Amino acid sequence: MKKKKENSNVSGLKIIPLGGLEQIGMNITAFQYEDSIIVVDCGLSFPADDMLGIDLVIPDVTYLKDNIDKVKGFVITHGHEDHIGALPYVLRDINVPIYATRLTMGIIENKLTEHNLMKKTKRKVVKFGQSINLGDFRVEFIKTNHSIVDAAALAIYSPAGIVVHTGDFKVDYTPVYGDAIDLQRFAEIGKKGVLALMCDSTNAERPGFTPSEKTVGKTFDTLFEEHKNTRIFVATFASNVDRVQQIINTAYKFGRKVAVEGRSMVNILDTAIKLECINIPENTLVDLDQMKNYPDEQQVIITTGSQGESMAALSRMANNMHRKITIGAGDTVIFSSNPIPGNEKSVTKIINELLRKGADVIFQDAHVSGHACQEEIKLIYTLIHPKYAVPVHGEYKHLKAQAKIAESLGISKDNIFILSSGDVLEVSEEQAKVNGRVPVGAILVDGLGVGDVGNVVLRDRQHLAEDGIMIVVMSLDKASGELVAGPDIVSRGFVYVKESDELIEEARRTVDDALQACLDKGITDWGKLKTTTKDVLSDYVWKKTKRRPMILPIIMEV
């Protein structure tokens, strides 16, 4: 009887988000049925302000490592960093095949080449409408629209039923490249009976429809007409290939040459050209070095840095740090993106810098979102008719907004699940419930170090940033245990030493007295001496300055 009960625990389908909930970014979800696990997406997120010195944040995949023999592959919806960025790090421990559409795979292969993983990683390019079999699962790729070409939704067939995962999507009837979203296929799958829908929640708070990407093309036409006699810079996301296509189309109409600047932008554009995902008229694209051969009114420069990133091309141009281009009076800069939440300050700083230089800056109406608003979300729900709704991709407020939409469409409150990363949702035709948790979290990447910076190190960095450090150096005689030199105090980021001689000298005397008292009592244990130094100096500095710098005693033996 007991054995039967154990089996019944895994007879349903398990949906396990390992990241991507309660935040924008780091999307990764595991689907498990008995001995088969497939993983949808494997993204990163960018560090928060308090993660000092951290470059990237990737998901903790301990659960996948612990079940490595069950993991059949990564199935990727599209080529944005928050869906593919963690792959090169995660593949080192979980080397299973990757399945993705053409451009998505092209961008992934750039990353694998950079990390020397190409030879070790199996890859398969999947076409829309095609299915792949992975253990107990069959996964079908369905055409959707997003701000990058070749975005896919997934129909995941399991013995427990069908789950539809939309990926990031919008409904665009007039896309710049390729076909419109395959609503017919959504409807056909809906007729078969869908167990659960996992739908993009990013714009779930916004009423109405997301405008077509093509509307931005008209905006560019108007802006180029209004700024006929200036050099034009357009800042946008490197991966927004459709946007780049429209800028090139407008530039061609107005007889301008286009150069592309920013490493990520150049890499993605090269991949898109190779895979024929972008159509560039002859003699329109020129090298940045050749731009000087053309007058300003014939130049368009597409650049990265629309989010105010300090090392991106636009920031370097604005701060006179770029080797080839300086922006000044008579230039027009168009921001073709909205700031991601949290980046508003950086973007404003760049805009102010550009305005100071005399450039004309345009940051309204030159962008449309790549995510579905409320009416498009309703359309997908209506076509799919899911039994259970599992909102994904977004902060809690976004997930909650989608839950309300699902409820308004007649889905019972008990059948809507707002999950947290790490929750294990067991779903079957009879019932769905959250049954346990798996380990999840953020692994911090700093330079070449992956996961070697944890909470303790971050706390130390925070402490150093806020209060500075005082280093106390002293030398003890090996034989007698007497203090032969020091204590000397060096401080950084605490007070300006030249103006605080008295404070430092008095602190030194206070530590000296405390150490002598210890030595007079015959205490020569280094641990005890260091603790005494820390306690005495900390109390003294707090009384005098109401600050608590980090204190680092160093004892040398002579």
Side-chain angles (χ1 to χ4, degrees):
M1 273 303 284
K2 200 173 180 189
K3 195 162 190 223
K4 202 169 182 190
K5 193 177 180 198
E6 280 174 13
N7 284 344
S8 70
N9 276 346
V10 291
S11 64
L13 169 68
K14 292 180 180 176
I15 298 173
I16 310 165
L18 300 174
L21 300 177
E22 309 113 4
Q23 67 183 113
I24 302 285
M26 210 160 78
N27 298 293
I28 176 170
T29 308
F31 292 80
Q32 180 170 1
Y33 189 88
E34 295 188 351
D35 287 337
S36 296
I37 295 175
I38 60 167
V39 188
V40 171
D41 292 336
C42 186
L44 55 75
S45 66
F46 293 101
D49 289 345
D50 57 354
M51 294 181 180
L52 301 167
I54 298 304
D55 301 323
L56 308 167
V57 184
I58 61 173
D60 182 342
V61 290
T62 303
Y63 181 73
L64 300 180
K65 284 186 209 168
D66 293 346
N67 294 279
I68 186 70
D69 52 328
K70 296 176 184 172
V71 182
K72 307 299 177 196
F74 288 102
V75 188
I76 309 295
T77 57
H78 66 283
H80 278 156
E81 287 293 309
D82 56 332
H83 294 259
I84 64 168
L87 274 173
Y89 303 98
V90 171
L91 283 168
R92 291 169 193 177
D93 297 311
I94 299 150
N95 194 353
V96 294
I98 301 170
Y99 301 87
T101 52
R102 183 187 43 161
L103 181 63
T104 308
M105 189 63 86
I107 296 168
I108 290 169
E109 286 177 350
N110 283 347
K111 290 185 170 300
L112 297 180
T113 304
E114 223 171 272
H115 289 258
N116 293 323
L117 290 168
M118 274 292 269
K119 285 181 184 163
K120 298 176 196 162
T121 311
K122 284 186 180 166
R123 310 171 306 284
K124 180 170 172 52
V125 174
V126 186
K127 291 178 179 162
F128 293 114
Q130 199 176 334
S131 291
I132 47 168
N133 293 311
L134 297 168
D136 288 322
F137 294 97
R138 177 165 72 84
V139 183
E140 179 187 343
F141 282 66
I142 306 164
K143 174 88 180 86
T144 58
N145 304 125
H146 185 41
S147 56
I148 188 169
V149 177
D150 280 0
L154 305 171
I156 300 164
Y157 299 84
S158 78
I162 304 170
V163 177
V164 173
H165 190 301
T166 65
D168 285 359
F169 85 103
K170 72 190 225 184
V171 176
D172 194 340
Y173 301 113
T174 56
V176 171
Y177 177 92
D179 301 322
I181 181 170
D182 191 351
L183 294 174
Q184 183 182 336
R185 188 61 193 145
F186 279 104
E188 286 164 2
I189 292 166
K191 279 184 182 156
K192 292 180 185 181
V194 170
L195 192 60
L197 173 61
M198 301 175 75
C199 184
D200 177 11
S201 308
T202 312
N203 277 352
E205 295 174 304
R206 294 191 193 176
F209 292 89
T210 305
S212 167
E213 178 63 37
K214 273 235 170 106
T215 59
V216 183
K218 290 174 187 157
T219 307
F220 283 134
D221 286 355
T222 309
L223 291 172
F224 275 50
E225 181 65 50
E226 286 170 4
H227 299 86
K228 266 185 176 167
N229 302 317
T230 69
R231 183 167 58 158
I232 295 177
F233 292 79
V234 187
T236 189
F237 293 112
S239 57
N240 197 337
V241 177
D242 285 353
R243 190 68 47 84
V244 174
Q245 174 74 76
Q246 294 195 95
I247 299 162
I248 289 169
N249 290 349
T250 302
Y252 180 68
K253 265 186 221 169
F254 285 83
R256 287 177 178 257
K257 300 293 180 190
V258 177
V260 176
E261 177 58 356
R263 192 171 71 100
S264 52
M265 179 85 80
V266 169
N267 286 344
I268 289 176
L269 197 60
D270 282 348
T271 306
I273 291 168
K274 217 179 289 169
L275 297 171
E276 298 179 359
C277 293
I278 191 165
N279 184 10
I280 300 176
E282 225 175 306
N283 298 326
T284 301
L285 201 60
V286 299
D287 196 70
L288 194 63
D289 293 329
Q290 313 286 262
M291 270 297 185
K292 57 181 181 293
N293 301 332
Y294 300 95
D296 282 2
E297 62 273 14
Q298 280 181 28
Q299 295 186 30
V300 175
I301 294 158
I302 307 173
T303 173
T304 53
S306 63
Q307 295 301 307
E309 308 96 309
S310 60
M311 288 316 292
L314 185 66
S315 302
R316 287 184 286 122
M317 290 173 197
N319 295 313
N320 293 340
M321 288 163 59
H322 197 281
R323 284 176 303 153
K324 295 174 182 174
I325 296 173
T326 309
I327 296 176
D331 288 332
T332 301
V333 182
I334 302 168
F335 278 78
S336 186
S337 69
N338 281 345
I340 293 169
N343 289 352
E344 294 89 351
K345 268 187 189 170
S346 315
V347 174
T348 305
K349 192 176 166 192
I350 295 287
I351 289 171
N352 286 332
E353 198 55 52
L354 292 166
L355 289 169
R356 257 191 216 106
K357 290 185 168 308
D360 188 1
V361 182
I362 295 155
F363 45 90
Q364 273 131 355
D365 306 325
H367 177 64
V368 297
S369 175
H371 299 272
C373 287
Q374 288 177 359
E375 294 306 313
E376 292 147 277
I377 292 170
K378 286 179 190 172
L379 174 59
I380 295 297
Y381 269 94
T382 309
L383 294 173
I384 293 289
H385 292 301
K387 181 166 185 177
Y388 304 108
V390 185
V392 291
H393 300 175
E395 296 168 14
Y396 187 80
K397 61 176 187 160
H398 303 123
L399 306 179
K400 191 77 182 161
Q402 191 186 133
K404 279 187 181 165
I405 294 171
E407 217 181 318
S408 75
L409 294 168
I411 295 178
S412 152
K413 215 173 188 171
D414 297 338
N415 285 1
I416 302 168
F417 292 89
I418 297 181
L419 302 179
S420 299
S421 295
D423 284 348
V424 178
L425 178 66
E426 289 197 1
V427 195
S428 67
E429 201 53 62
E430 294 74 50
Q431 62 162 354
K433 65 178 194 296
V434 175
N435 189 5
R437 280 184 64 76
V438 303
V440 290
I443 306 285
L444 308 177
V445 179
D446 183 358
L448 294 175
V450 178
D452 56 351
V453 174
N455 289 337
V456 175
V457 175
L458 272 189
R459 201 167 60 233
D460 284 352
R461 289 182 181 183
Q462 196 77 37
H463 192 174
L464 286 166
E466 288 167 5
D467 303 302
I469 187 170
M470 294 182 87
I471 301 167
V472 185
V473 186
M474 62 201 93
S475 299
L476 292 179
D477 186 291
K478 202 174 189 175
S480 65
E482 284 180 14
L483 196 64
V484 292
D488 294 319
I489 295 177
V490 180
S491 84
R492 288 288 179 273
F494 166 56
V495 289
Y496 186 52
V497 178
K498 281 184 182 171
E499 291 172 6
S500 308
D501 283 347
E502 218 172 286
L503 176 76
I504 298 291
E505 182 52 37
E506 202 175 322
R508 198 191 69 73
R509 281 201 298 271
T510 308
V511 173
D512 196 11
D513 293 346
L515 285 170
Q516 287 300 347
C518 283
L519 295 169
D520 291 347
K521 288 178 192 166
I523 298 169
T524 54
D525 175 59
W526 283 20
K528 180 71 179 153
L529 293 176
K530 284 183 177 183
T531 305
T532 303
T533 302
K534 275 186 184 178
D535 292 346
V536 168
L537 186 54
S538 183
D539 287 349
Y540 171 77
V541 169
W542 174 252
K543 277 180 198 150
K544 292 288 181 184
T545 66
K546 290 290 179 279
R547 288 191 228 161
R548 292 207 187 280
M550 184 181 281
I551 293 168
L552 188 64
I554 297 173
I555 301 176
M556 291 180 290
E557 219 169 36
V558 289

